[in-house]
mmCIF file of all heavy atoms in Angstrom:
data_model
loop_
_atom_site.group_PDB
_atom_site.id
_atom_site.type_symbol
_atom_site.label_atom_id
_atom_site.label_comp_id
_atom_site.label_asym_id
_atom_site.label_seq_id
_atom_site.Cartn_x
_atom_site.Cartn_y
_atom_site.Cartn_z
ATOM 1 N N TYR M 97 96.009 65.821 115.977
ATOM 2 C CA TYR M 97 96.551 67.043 115.390
ATOM 3 C C TYR M 97 97.998 66.807 114.905
ATOM 4 O O TYR M 97 98.387 67.242 113.807
ATOM 5 C CB TYR M 97 96.530 68.125 116.499
ATOM 6 C CG TYR M 97 97.025 69.425 115.965
ATOM 7 C CD1 TYR M 97 96.192 70.321 115.156
ATOM 8 C CD2 TYR M 97 98.304 69.835 116.170
ATOM 9 C CE1 TYR M 97 96.602 71.414 114.678
ATOM 10 C CE2 TYR M 97 98.799 71.075 115.665
ATOM 11 C CZ TYR M 97 97.898 71.844 114.928
ATOM 12 O OH TYR M 97 98.384 73.060 114.343
ATOM 13 N N PHE M 98 98.750 66.079 115.731
ATOM 14 C CA PHE M 98 100.167 65.832 115.362
ATOM 15 C C PHE M 98 100.146 65.030 114.034
ATOM 16 O O PHE M 98 100.896 65.373 113.084
ATOM 17 C CB PHE M 98 100.787 65.017 116.448
ATOM 18 C CG PHE M 98 102.141 64.405 116.019
ATOM 19 C CD1 PHE M 98 103.302 65.236 115.980
ATOM 20 C CD2 PHE M 98 102.312 63.148 115.648
ATOM 21 C CE1 PHE M 98 104.517 64.732 115.589
ATOM 22 C CE2 PHE M 98 103.534 62.602 115.208
ATOM 23 C CZ PHE M 98 104.564 63.403 115.150
ATOM 24 N N LEU M 99 99.342 63.971 113.954
ATOM 25 C CA LEU M 99 99.321 63.131 112.759
ATOM 26 C C LEU M 99 98.878 63.979 111.518
ATOM 27 O O LEU M 99 99.469 63.742 110.478
ATOM 28 C CB LEU M 99 98.397 61.913 112.960
ATOM 29 C CG LEU M 99 98.921 60.919 114.009
ATOM 30 C CD1 LEU M 99 97.946 59.793 114.094
ATOM 31 C CD2 LEU M 99 100.264 60.323 113.593
ATOM 32 N N ALA M 100 97.901 64.767 111.680
ATOM 33 C CA ALA M 100 97.329 65.429 110.558
ATOM 34 C C ALA M 100 98.160 66.672 110.052
ATOM 35 O O ALA M 100 98.240 66.962 108.875
ATOM 36 C CB ALA M 100 95.811 65.854 110.858
ATOM 37 N N MET M 101 98.713 67.402 111.048
ATOM 38 C CA MET M 101 99.327 68.685 110.636
ATOM 39 C C MET M 101 100.832 68.636 110.717
ATOM 40 O O MET M 101 101.502 69.425 110.122
ATOM 41 C CB MET M 101 98.797 69.800 111.555
ATOM 42 C CG MET M 101 97.284 70.014 111.412
ATOM 43 S SD MET M 101 96.784 70.523 109.782
ATOM 44 C CE MET M 101 97.050 72.272 109.844
ATOM 45 N N ILE M 102 101.468 67.871 111.583
ATOM 46 C CA ILE M 102 102.846 67.992 111.840
ATOM 47 C C ILE M 102 103.609 66.844 111.218
ATOM 48 O O ILE M 102 104.632 67.064 110.645
ATOM 49 C CB ILE M 102 103.225 68.147 113.367
ATOM 50 C CG1 ILE M 102 102.448 69.375 113.876
ATOM 51 C CG2 ILE M 102 104.701 68.134 113.641
ATOM 52 C CD1 ILE M 102 102.363 69.472 115.365
ATOM 53 N N ALA M 103 103.134 65.662 111.376
ATOM 54 C CA ALA M 103 103.915 64.381 110.895
ATOM 55 C C ALA M 103 103.911 64.385 109.402
ATOM 56 O O ALA M 103 103.061 64.898 108.698
ATOM 57 C CB ALA M 103 103.177 63.159 111.439
ATOM 58 N N THR M 104 105.028 63.793 108.848
ATOM 59 C CA THR M 104 105.078 63.569 107.409
ATOM 60 C C THR M 104 104.116 62.458 107.106
ATOM 61 O O THR M 104 103.764 61.648 107.983
ATOM 62 C CB THR M 104 106.478 63.139 107.019
ATOM 63 O OG1 THR M 104 106.799 61.898 107.639
ATOM 64 C CG2 THR M 104 107.540 64.143 107.409
ATOM 65 N N PRO M 105 103.732 62.343 105.861
ATOM 66 C CA PRO M 105 102.691 61.242 105.501
ATOM 67 C C PRO M 105 103.257 59.846 105.954
ATOM 68 O O PRO M 105 102.495 59.077 106.423
ATOM 69 C CB PRO M 105 102.610 61.349 103.967
ATOM 70 C CG PRO M 105 102.915 62.785 103.705
ATOM 71 C CD PRO M 105 103.918 63.242 104.682
ATOM 72 N N GLY M 106 104.585 59.626 105.787
ATOM 73 C CA GLY M 106 105.076 58.326 106.164
ATOM 74 C C GLY M 106 104.943 58.091 107.647
ATOM 75 O O GLY M 106 104.497 57.043 108.097
ATOM 76 N N GLN M 107 105.309 59.145 108.431
ATOM 77 C CA GLN M 107 105.219 59.005 109.891
ATOM 78 C C GLN M 107 103.739 58.720 110.299
ATOM 79 O O GLN M 107 103.438 57.924 111.094
ATOM 80 C CB GLN M 107 105.702 60.269 110.547
ATOM 81 C CG GLN M 107 107.148 60.411 110.594
ATOM 82 C CD GLN M 107 107.612 61.784 111.111
ATOM 83 O OE1 GLN M 107 106.831 62.769 111.017
ATOM 84 N NE2 GLN M 107 108.791 61.868 111.721
ATOM 85 N N ALA M 108 102.796 59.510 109.671
ATOM 86 C CA ALA M 108 101.395 59.342 109.980
ATOM 87 C C ALA M 108 100.932 57.959 109.760
ATOM 88 O O ALA M 108 100.270 57.396 110.596
ATOM 89 C CB ALA M 108 100.528 60.379 109.189
ATOM 90 N N ALA M 109 101.367 57.362 108.583
ATOM 91 C CA ALA M 109 100.895 56.046 108.265
ATOM 92 C C ALA M 109 101.394 55.031 109.292
ATOM 93 O O ALA M 109 100.723 54.145 109.724
ATOM 94 C CB ALA M 109 101.414 55.636 106.809
ATOM 95 N N THR M 110 102.686 55.199 109.664
ATOM 96 C CA THR M 110 103.281 54.282 110.693
ATOM 97 C C THR M 110 102.497 54.448 112.000
ATOM 98 O O THR M 110 102.124 53.348 112.631
ATOM 99 C CB THR M 110 104.752 54.675 110.957
ATOM 100 O OG1 THR M 110 105.409 54.864 109.643
ATOM 101 C CG2 THR M 110 105.474 53.627 111.684
ATOM 102 N N PHE M 111 102.270 55.697 112.467
ATOM 103 C CA PHE M 111 101.558 55.853 113.700
ATOM 104 C C PHE M 111 100.172 55.166 113.702
ATOM 105 O O PHE M 111 99.808 54.602 114.586
ATOM 106 C CB PHE M 111 101.449 57.284 114.071
ATOM 107 C CG PHE M 111 102.695 57.827 114.799
ATOM 108 C CD1 PHE M 111 103.745 58.427 114.141
ATOM 109 C CD2 PHE M 111 102.712 57.714 116.241
ATOM 110 C CE1 PHE M 111 104.812 58.864 114.925
ATOM 111 C CE2 PHE M 111 103.765 58.231 116.920
ATOM 112 C CZ PHE M 111 104.872 58.758 116.228
ATOM 113 N N LEU M 112 99.512 55.490 112.618
ATOM 114 C CA LEU M 112 98.078 54.976 112.478
ATOM 115 C C LEU M 112 98.107 53.445 112.523
ATOM 116 O O LEU M 112 97.247 52.810 113.158
ATOM 117 C CB LEU M 112 97.436 55.462 111.188
ATOM 118 C CG LEU M 112 97.099 56.975 111.287
ATOM 119 C CD1 LEU M 112 96.577 57.457 109.930
ATOM 120 C CD2 LEU M 112 96.124 57.307 112.351
ATOM 121 N N LEU M 113 99.109 52.864 111.917
ATOM 122 C CA LEU M 113 99.230 51.375 111.848
ATOM 123 C C LEU M 113 99.429 50.909 113.320
ATOM 124 O O LEU M 113 98.868 49.895 113.730
ATOM 125 C CB LEU M 113 100.419 50.914 110.943
ATOM 126 C CG LEU M 113 100.514 49.478 110.697
ATOM 127 C CD1 LEU M 113 99.261 48.870 109.998
ATOM 128 C CD2 LEU M 113 101.745 49.039 109.961
ATOM 129 N N LEU M 114 100.438 51.562 114.013
ATOM 130 C CA LEU M 114 100.687 51.145 115.387
ATOM 131 C C LEU M 114 99.446 51.288 116.321
ATOM 132 O O LEU M 114 99.248 50.545 117.231
ATOM 133 C CB LEU M 114 101.805 52.080 115.984
ATOM 134 C CG LEU M 114 103.187 51.823 115.440
ATOM 135 C CD1 LEU M 114 104.138 52.822 115.923
ATOM 136 C CD2 LEU M 114 103.654 50.422 115.744
ATOM 137 N N LEU M 115 98.546 52.267 115.941
ATOM 138 C CA LEU M 115 97.331 52.490 116.761
ATOM 139 C C LEU M 115 96.368 51.289 116.460
ATOM 140 O O LEU M 115 95.601 50.880 117.397
ATOM 141 C CB LEU M 115 96.592 53.745 116.361
ATOM 142 C CG LEU M 115 97.102 55.053 117.052
ATOM 143 C CD1 LEU M 115 96.409 56.201 116.400
ATOM 144 C CD2 LEU M 115 96.856 54.937 118.527
ATOM 145 N N VAL M 116 96.444 50.751 115.298
ATOM 146 C CA VAL M 116 95.447 49.696 114.860
ATOM 147 C C VAL M 116 95.929 48.260 115.335
ATOM 148 O O VAL M 116 95.061 47.455 115.674
ATOM 149 C CB VAL M 116 95.210 49.725 113.364
ATOM 150 C CG1 VAL M 116 94.354 48.614 112.879
ATOM 151 C CG2 VAL M 116 94.538 51.056 113.013
ATOM 152 N N ILE M 117 97.281 48.066 115.272
ATOM 153 C CA ILE M 117 97.776 46.739 115.569
ATOM 154 C C ILE M 117 97.207 46.061 116.828
ATOM 155 O O ILE M 117 96.779 44.877 116.832
ATOM 156 C CB ILE M 117 99.329 46.703 115.571
ATOM 157 C CG1 ILE M 117 99.817 46.792 114.116
ATOM 158 C CG2 ILE M 117 99.859 45.507 116.239
ATOM 159 C CD1 ILE M 117 101.359 46.922 113.951
ATOM 160 N N PRO M 118 97.123 46.801 118.008
ATOM 161 C CA PRO M 118 96.568 46.135 119.255
ATOM 162 C C PRO M 118 95.138 45.598 118.924
ATOM 163 O O PRO M 118 94.752 44.693 119.621
ATOM 164 C CB PRO M 118 96.554 47.287 120.229
ATOM 165 C CG PRO M 118 97.530 48.278 119.779
ATOM 166 C CD PRO M 118 97.489 48.200 118.230
ATOM 167 N N PHE M 119 94.468 46.131 117.982
ATOM 168 C CA PHE M 119 93.096 45.686 117.774
ATOM 169 C C PHE M 119 93.013 44.346 116.962
ATOM 170 O O PHE M 119 91.938 43.779 116.721
ATOM 171 C CB PHE M 119 92.218 46.738 117.001
ATOM 172 C CG PHE M 119 91.823 47.782 117.934
ATOM 173 C CD1 PHE M 119 92.766 48.693 118.387
ATOM 174 C CD2 PHE M 119 90.561 47.792 118.439
ATOM 175 C CE1 PHE M 119 92.389 49.628 119.288
ATOM 176 C CE2 PHE M 119 90.157 48.752 119.324
ATOM 177 C CZ PHE M 119 91.101 49.738 119.791
ATOM 178 N N TRP M 120 94.244 43.844 116.666
ATOM 179 C CA TRP M 120 94.249 42.494 116.039
ATOM 180 C C TRP M 120 94.182 41.393 117.098
ATOM 181 O O TRP M 120 94.050 40.200 116.852
ATOM 182 C CB TRP M 120 95.564 42.268 115.223
ATOM 183 C CG TRP M 120 95.659 43.210 114.082
ATOM 184 C CD1 TRP M 120 94.629 43.991 113.535
ATOM 185 C CD2 TRP M 120 96.753 43.458 113.191
ATOM 186 N NE1 TRP M 120 95.040 44.750 112.575
ATOM 187 C CE2 TRP M 120 96.418 44.405 112.306
ATOM 188 C CE3 TRP M 120 98.043 42.896 113.202
ATOM 189 C CZ2 TRP M 120 97.300 44.886 111.322
ATOM 190 C CZ3 TRP M 120 98.931 43.420 112.235
ATOM 191 C CH2 TRP M 120 98.545 44.398 111.296
ATOM 192 N N ILE M 121 94.297 41.842 118.383
ATOM 193 C CA ILE M 121 94.171 40.959 119.563
ATOM 194 C C ILE M 121 92.815 41.092 120.103
ATOM 195 O O ILE M 121 92.242 42.074 120.128
ATOM 196 C CB ILE M 121 95.294 41.299 120.584
ATOM 197 C CG1 ILE M 121 96.714 41.231 120.007
ATOM 198 C CG2 ILE M 121 95.199 40.358 121.841
ATOM 199 C CD1 ILE M 121 97.751 41.900 120.850
ATOM 200 N N ASN M 122 92.302 39.966 120.602
ATOM 201 C CA ASN M 122 90.944 39.932 121.137
ATOM 202 C C ASN M 122 90.820 40.915 122.372
ATOM 203 O O ASN M 122 91.744 41.060 123.087
ATOM 204 C CB ASN M 122 90.708 38.507 121.647
ATOM 205 C CG ASN M 122 89.287 38.345 122.144
ATOM 206 O OD1 ASN M 122 88.941 38.840 123.138
ATOM 207 N ND2 ASN M 122 88.501 37.555 121.321
ATOM 208 N N GLU M 123 89.617 41.569 122.388
ATOM 209 C CA GLU M 123 89.380 42.527 123.444
ATOM 210 C C GLU M 123 89.549 41.964 124.868
ATOM 211 O O GLU M 123 89.976 42.650 125.733
ATOM 212 C CB GLU M 123 87.996 43.134 123.270
ATOM 213 C CG GLU M 123 87.815 44.394 124.109
ATOM 214 C CD GLU M 123 86.389 44.993 124.085
ATOM 215 O OE1 GLU M 123 85.649 44.519 123.233
ATOM 216 O OE2 GLU M 123 86.086 45.823 124.860
#
Side-chain angles (χ1 to χ4, degrees):
Chain M
Y97 183 79
F98 169 80
L99 292 177
M101 299 297 276
I102 299 166
T104 63
Q107 284 173 333
T110 314
F111 272 93
L112 291 173
L113 187 65
L114 287 175
L115 277 174
V116 172
I117 284 175
F119 282 74
W120 297 349
I121 302 166
N122 186 290
E123 192 185 349

